[in-house]
Amino acid sequence: MKKTLKRHAGIAAAALMLTFPPRLEAVAEPASARLTLEETIRLVRENNPALKAASEEVNAADARIRQQKSAYYPQITASAGYTWIDPVSEMGFGGSEPIQFMPNDNYEAKVTARATLLDFGKRGIEVDMARTGKNAAGHTFEITRRDLSYRTVELFYGILFLRESIRVDEKEIAALQKAFDYTTKRYQAGTATKFDVLSTDVRIQAARSKKLGLEHQLRRHELTLHRLTGLAANMPLDLKGSFSVHPENPDETTLVAAAVRQRPEVLLAGENEQSARLRRSRSMKEGLPVVRASASWGVSNGYQPDIDEIRENVAAGIHMELPLFTGFRTSAERQEAAALLRAAAQRRLDTEEQVATEVAETLHALDTAREKILATESQVRQAKLAAEHARARYENGIATTLDLLDTEAALAQAELARLQAAYDYVLNNYTLKRATGEIFW
């Protein structure tokens, strides 16, 4: 499975430096956006709404930490009210006027402070769970940013690939058009048949149809890149890039270790496991008592000897709550928390295995693309030579029209195969970076 690049570094270095002619780049226009890959990724990170949303979720998670920490502070409230009561308690002696023990009009205003004195660490667990939530939101943000960067790489090199594919198709159409003109002259001279003319025309139309399909794909890629970067949809893209690559010597064991250490998916799975562990710890404390204290100061009426007089009053107390029976809810919560912890641990292990498999698959794809580049270089050279010979033989009346058309098609296919191999190699390099958790820019 593991191969190194050293055994053919000399050959690969020459084969992989596939810097295509200037036609690979978009024609510069006065209002065009001249972008390198780094600049394109920067625009996506600055303007993409999905990334901004993920950033706000991190801010929200940070606010949740402060919310949980508020349980350590006293909760102070102010209240005021009026109550009218009738009848009220009163007592009369003989024929004297009844004595009223409470007023009909009751007024009250007070400030109350309540605080939890003892909860056996429940508040600390809640704060820790909020912190894991913020860490998880941070890893989710990194996943979103990485995926957007990788999508940008796909679109950037996809546009370059499609533009170069269109150029190859245009070259094939030009060669076929030249053959069509020559065949038409031969037909008019009586040295070629109508079938030869029609065969050449059919090949031209097929090549044009293929070119239309490529242009449609190119337009879709450009529209998507405009959306991701926030650029105007009518702004031409002048992308500065090539399929030049540089041989490296990747080691699977080292890359897998790096992936398990720094991939945000693995880190997120670890945070989820930690959150499940904290939830289980909190469930184990559900049956313990909670001690709270309260104190209030205020003014109200209703005190003897003048029940209508507004007077100051103070109240303070300590309250303990101990759950004795919850209908088996506490034990069920503990069972649920334990099961979720086991599930989170298994998901973390599964994520680590997926990461290792992805690294291995990408290394194999990278090695395959490298081998294809070496093979397609020979195919292109052979196809060019065959096309040159076929053109000369056809012009001298030795080769048939079908021979010429087949060699032109073979040349175009060989050039596209070489382009595809170079594109795959470049993209697999970025796929490997994504698989190992390496930041692009």
Side-chain angles (χ1 to χ4, degrees), residues 22-313:
R23 283 171 294 184
L24 174 64
E25 301 170 352
V27 177
E29 297 182 8
S32 64
R34 300 174 62 88
L35 298 172
T36 63
L37 179 58
E38 294 87 345
E39 292 168 344
T40 306
I41 291 177
R42 178 184 58 79
L43 283 175
V44 170
R45 291 183 174 179
E46 290 178 355
N47 302 323
N48 191 264
L51 198 58
K52 293 180 180 179
S55 176
E56 292 301 331
E57 288 172 357
V58 175
N59 295 334
D62 185 62
R64 281 192 290 271
I65 295 177
R66 296 195 298 274
Q67 291 176 32
Q68 296 301 329
K69 286 184 176 180
S70 66
Y72 285 104
Y73 298 95
Q75 307 299 304
I76 302 176
T77 59
S79 61
Y82 162 78
T83 305
W84 184 81
I85 300 175
D86 185 69
V88 295
S89 300
E90 59 182 14
M91 179 179 292
F93 298 94
S96 62
E97 184 178 351
I99 300 175
Q100 189 173 331
F101 293 100
M102 57 188 304
N104 295 100
D105 299 300
N106 293 268
Y107 303 91
E108 182 185 44
K110 64 180 178 180
V111 176
T112 304
R114 297 180 178 88
T116 300
L117 301 181
L118 179 65
D119 64 353
F120 294 92
K122 293 179 184 178
R123 288 173 294 178
I125 293 175
E126 294 287 349
V127 172
D128 290 340
M129 290 180 65
R131 288 197 179 101
T132 61
K134 180 183 177 181
N135 294 337
H139 297 319
T140 302
F141 172 80
E142 290 299 327
I143 291 173
T144 303
R145 183 169 68 169
R146 181 209 60 195
D147 289 346
L148 280 173
S149 298
Y150 183 76
R151 179 59 177 152
T152 304
V153 170
E154 287 183 314
L155 291 170
F156 187 91
Y157 282 106
I159 291 173
L160 294 181
F161 171 76
L162 290 169
R163 288 177 179 176
E164 182 62 16
S165 298
I166 292 172
R167 186 192 69 80
V168 172
D169 210 45
E170 288 173 345
K171 188 172 70 172
E172 180 186 9
I173 292 172
L176 291 173
Q177 186 63 49
K178 183 177 179 181
F180 176 79
D181 295 339
Y182 186 74
T183 303
T184 301
K185 291 179 181 178
R186 290 184 61 186
Y187 171 70
Q188 293 171 350
T191 58
T193 65
K194 182 66 173 178
F195 178 78
D196 294 332
V197 176
L198 290 176
S199 298
T200 308
D201 185 60
V202 168
R203 291 291 183 94
I204 292 174
Q205 298 308 320
R208 286 175 177 170
S209 178
K210 180 182 176 183
K211 179 173 176 285
L212 288 174
L214 292 173
E215 289 174 342
H216 175 64
Q217 293 183 47
L218 176 61
R219 183 55 181 162
R220 289 178 58 188
H221 278 58
E222 290 176 340
L223 287 173
T224 304
L225 190 59
H226 277 103
R227 178 179 64 82
L228 291 180
T229 57
L231 297 174
N234 60 349
M235 178 178 291
L237 297 174
D238 186 9
L239 305 184
K240 300 300 180 182
S242 71
F243 292 105
S244 299
V245 293
H246 306 283
E248 297 178 357
N249 184 25
D251 178 73
E252 183 178 338
T253 303
T254 303
L255 292 178
V256 169
V260 172
R261 184 176 61 254
Q262 61 192 20
R263 271 286 288 270
E265 289 90 347
V266 177
L267 299 176
L268 178 59
E271 291 297 338
N272 291 336
E273 183 180 8
Q274 176 64 12
S275 179
R277 185 176 293 107
L278 290 170
R279 180 174 179 177
R280 181 176 180 273
S281 178
R282 183 187 61 183
S283 68
M284 298 301 295
K285 298 178 181 294
E286 285 299 325
L288 299 176
V290 177
V291 179
R292 296 184 176 91
S294 64
S296 64
W297 173 88
V299 293
S300 64
N301 62 339
Y303 297 98
Q304 294 292 345
D306 185 357
I307 59 176
D308 293 319
E309 181 183 358
I310 302 297
R311 300 182 183 181
E312 293 185 9
N313 56 76

